[in-house]
Amino acid sequence: MRVIATAGHVDHGKSTLVRRLTGMEPDRWAEERRRGLTLDLGFGWTRIGAEDVAFVDVPGHERFVPTMLAGAGPVPAVVFVVAADEGWKPQSAEHLAALHAFGVERGLLVVTKLDRADPGPATTEALRELAATSLGTVPTVACSGTSGEGLTGVRAAVGELVAGLPVPPAGADVRLWLDRAFTIRGAGTVVTGTLAAGTITTGDELDLGGTTVSVRGIESLGTERTTVRGVARVALNLRGVDRDRARRGHALLTPGAWLTTSEVDVRLRGAASADLHRELVLHLGTAAVPVRVRPLGTDTVRLALRTPLPLRVGDRGLLRDPGAHLIAAGADVLDVRPPELRRRGAARARGAELSGDLALAYLRRHGFVRAADFRAMGLPPAGNRVGDWLVDPGRFARLRSTVRDEVAAWSRAHPVAAGMPEDALRHRLGLPSADLLAPLLTGLETSSGLVRLPGTGLDPRVASALALLDEDFAAHPFRAPETDHLRDLGLGRRELAAAVRHGRLTPIADGVYLAPGTETRAADALAGLEQPFTVSAARRALDSTRRVMVPLLEHLDAVGVTEPLGDGTRRLR
């Protein structure tokens, strides 16, 4: 499906053209039909060639410019209508200014009412006006909505227009700007909008203003569907939201894929920052939000939004002065998570920064950013990829040069420790995720969640005490030193834990330590016993004590060396 908008001065025949092309009545309200004046957004669709084409018919009267902007904002192309008997008019200019501010680049000029006047002069004037905007040179066709003359040419021209439009990716994140919301008895809340990209399927869960809603049903072009992909006009029956919490200007979003922000930095098109009023309205999608404007550079400003919006870098909107009924400027979103401007001269510096590589500038400012956050902001990947993170190469290089010093300082402060805990090192380095630590540990030793310098051993005092225990174990490998003896050697809990981490002791039970390799030596000694054997027989074979023997056999059971038989005896596995 392709979706295009109409534009043009009031009473130039936009709705009549849509009516003749689609056979549908775009003016939904009785008041519109009574007055012959479009007051709200209208819709109609038809098939042209191999494409379904949906029209968003916008009002042309100056009183309804905000409604026109809501209709034109989300669509990629426009049919611009000018009447042959009236030519270029004030709302023609305002609609064109809006399309230019939105950056619409694809269009078709339709000169209507050729049965009332020669379309040549109106065509020439309109083409001159359009050529000076983002639309540039566009094809043109003339017709009469009353007699039907020229409508075949209009259909063919519309077909050529939509055939040249790009096809958005089906896997894109969904952002459906709502243009209508209403209630249907027995169904509940229904919303409509133009799906610009992505795919929506029945049962999908989407985010609406921080609330998770599910898609109960989908209708597109009057037909119920189970799935729809952009670009498309859609009506969604939602579960999980009341009608009063959904309205024009809200957006249905892929959960977690968009950053909703109340401050953005934008580049202006068609105006200088010094020329703008401080209070304007930002129109983007179907939203219209009052903003405060703060100049940054000659063509860049910061917008403080009264209502947060889900925006991405590259979004195009426009700024409008509602008091003067003027389009003030186009606004291209540059940064949806801009830095604070607290220091003197910060605004000027920020303006200069906005002329450079914004993705790299953002990464340098934060150091480490999740790749998903860059996607949510609309920024291209920058820096180096480490797992799910993007990292600033300069920041990473500086950390890599200091990590050894951090580990060495820790070792000096904790001489009996077997190494610096990885979590402690991560916090000292200011890393937001443990995944970022591993690439910085080149040339360091790691084990059991500890980091140490190569060749780092135990504190000399601890090593000396363990050497004395080694002599005792050599004579009696299964006699654990008593607590008093360990204390006399200066081996407290921290020192013993360090010895265990270094592989110098094997913990059997609380306060019971034997030499490393105890399991293998015990298995060799127990192999000489008649199987099964008792605790007493094992104690005699290992020349041990009951204090050690019971926990040792339980330890051997746990590691699979021995097997308890349930009657107080065991056997080797």
Side-chain angles (χ1 to χ4, degrees):
M1 184 194 310
R2 307 294 186 167
V3 181
I4 56 180
T6 64
H9 190 72
V10 62
D11 201 30
H12 275 206
K14 297 185 297 300
S15 298
T16 299
L17 181 63
V18 172
R19 194 178 300 117
R20 293 299 297 264
L21 289 174
T22 66
M24 305 178 69
E25 176 55 67
D27 289 337
R28 296 177 290 113
W29 309 116
E31 176 70 6
E32 293 180 303
R33 293 191 290 274
R34 184 183 68 81
R35 297 172 59 182
L37 178 68
T38 299
L39 308 176
D40 202 351
L41 298 179
F43 307 100
W45 58 86
T46 186
R47 190 161 187 86
I48 298 178
E51 293 282 0
D52 289 322
V53 181
F55 295 89
V56 179
D57 186 36
V58 306
H61 197 280
E62 63 178 351
R63 290 170 50 198
F64 305 112
V65 168
T67 302
M68 175 269 171
L69 297 177
V75 298
V78 63
V79 171
F80 205 99
V81 177
V82 177
D85 60 342
E86 293 192 3
W88 197 256
K89 301 291 282 184
Q91 288 314 118
S92 303
E94 184 156 16
H95 282 204
L96 181 58
L99 295 168
H100 178 62
F102 278 134
V104 177
E105 298 178 345
R106 312 264 183 150
L108 168 67
L109 172 63
V110 176
V111 178
T112 59
K113 304 185 181 182
L114 65 79
D115 55 330
R116 298 188 183 182
D118 177 7
T123 301
T124 301
E125 183 179 17
L127 287 175
R128 183 173 62 248
E129 297 288 344
L130 268 60
T133 69
S134 59
L135 286 168
T137 301
V138 300
T140 182
V141 62
C143 71
S144 168
T146 303
S147 67
E149 182 182 355
L151 286 177
T152 300
V154 174
R155 288 183 64 87
V158 170
E160 293 179 6
L161 171 63
V162 298
L165 296 178
V167 177
D173 298 323
V174 168
R175 180 177 58 178
L176 176 67
W177 292 105
L178 308 187
D179 50 43
R180 294 177 63 204
F182 50 92
T183 301
I184 295 179
R185 180 174 295 181
T189 301
V190 175
V191 299
T192 69
T194 299
L195 178 64
T199 302
I200 298 178
T201 300
T202 302
D204 280 355
E205 291 190 339
L206 299 172
D207 180 270
L208 179 62
T211 298
T212 298
V213 300
S214 59
V215 179
R216 176 187 291 172
I218 302 173
E219 183 179 294
S220 183
L221 304 189
T223 302
E224 291 188 3
R225 304 173 187 265
T226 58
T227 188
V228 64
R229 58 171 292 180
V231 174
R233 282 295 304 173
V234 297
L236 305 180
N237 181 201
L238 301 181
R239 180 187 292 112
V241 62
D242 295 332
R243 159 67 183 86
D244 58 0
R245 298 191 62 186
R247 61 178 181 270
R248 180 176 293 171
H250 289 176
L252 280 169
L253 310 169
T254 298
W258 295 85
L259 176 68
T260 299
T261 180
S262 58
E263 275 196 329
V264 292
D265 289 347
V266 304
R267 173 161 285 116
L268 304 174
R269 283 177 289 106
S273 59
D275 297 331
L276 298 185
H277 291 293
R278 296 297 179 259
E279 301 282 347
L280 297 172
V281 174
L282 172 67
H283 292 263
L284 199 149
T286 62
V289 176
V291 296
R292 285 189 60 83
V293 180
R294 180 175 181 179
L296 299 175
T298 56
D299 64 345
T300 52
V301 297
R302 174 158 301 177
L303 304 179
L305 285 61
R306 185 175 299 175
T307 302
L309 291 177
L311 303 178
R312 280 187 175 173
V313 173
D315 281 343
R316 282 187 160 185
L318 64 81
L319 294 168
R320 181 171 177 266
D321 183 346
H325 302 291
L326 294 174
I327 305 300
D332 295 341
V333 176
L334 299 177
D335 195 341
V336 296
R337 192 180 284 172
E340 295 182 349
L341 302 175
R342 291 183 175 179
R343 303 187 314 275
R344 184 179 180 86
R348 189 182 309 107
R350 176 60 175 164
E353 184 180 58
L354 288 173
S355 64
D357 186 329
L358 295 175
L360 188 56
Y362 185 88
L363 187 60
R364 286 172 176 167
R365 190 160 66 245
H366 294 274
F368 314 95
V369 183
R370 291 188 183 277
D373 290 344
F374 257 50
R375 177 177 175 177
M377 290 185 289
L379 288 172
N384 296 335
R385 183 73 179 257
V386 178
D388 295 332
W389 294 81
L390 298 173
V391 302
D392 172 24
R395 177 85 64 94
F396 227 45
R398 290 190 295 274
L399 289 177
R400 187 174 282 113
S401 68
T402 62
V403 66
R404 292 178 67 91
D405 293 338
E406 293 288 352
V407 174
W410 173 275
S411 299
R412 289 192 297 270
H414 305 81
V416 300
M420 184 176 186
E422 289 183 356
D423 278 348
L425 179 57
R426 179 172 69 86
H427 287 297
R428 288 289 293 272
L429 297 176
L431 300 176
S433 169
D435 296 339
L436 298 170
L437 182 61
L440 298 174
L441 301 182
T442 304
L444 298 173
E445 295 178 355
T446 61
S447 64
S448 303
L450 298 171
V451 183
R452 54 181 172 267
L453 298 176
T456 300
L458 287 165
D459 179 82
R461 293 180 295 106
V462 177
S464 297
L466 292 174
L468 295 176
L469 290 183
D470 288 342
E471 295 177 4
D472 296 338
F473 288 136
H476 302 285
F478 301 104
R479 293 188 182 182
E482 299 289 342
T483 302
D484 290 345
H485 183 45
L486 293 174
R487 186 169 52 249
D488 291 342
L489 291 175
L491 298 176
R493 284 189 175 274
R494 290 195 305 163
E495 289 78 8
L496 290 168
V500 169
R501 289 193 294 267
H502 273 277
R504 294 293 302 277
L505 291 176
T506 299
I508 302 301
D510 188 27
V512 179
Y513 297 89
L514 293 176
T518 291
E519 296 86 354
T520 300
R521 286 194 295 271
D524 292 342
L526 295 174
L529 293 177
E530 181 179 351
Q531 307 291 317
F533 55 86
T534 64
V535 173
S536 296
R539 178 175 59 80
R540 290 191 295 272
L542 300 181
D543 185 22
S544 186
T545 65
R546 190 168 185 81
R547 179 181 79 91
V548 175
M549 202 68 252
V550 172
L552 175 58
L553 290 174
E554 292 176 348
H555 174 73
L556 295 176
D557 294 341
V559 298
V561 174
T562 56
E563 177 184 11
L565 301 179
D567 59 357
T569 64
R570 287 173 170 79
R571 65 183 177 195
L572 287 173
R573 289 185 183 271

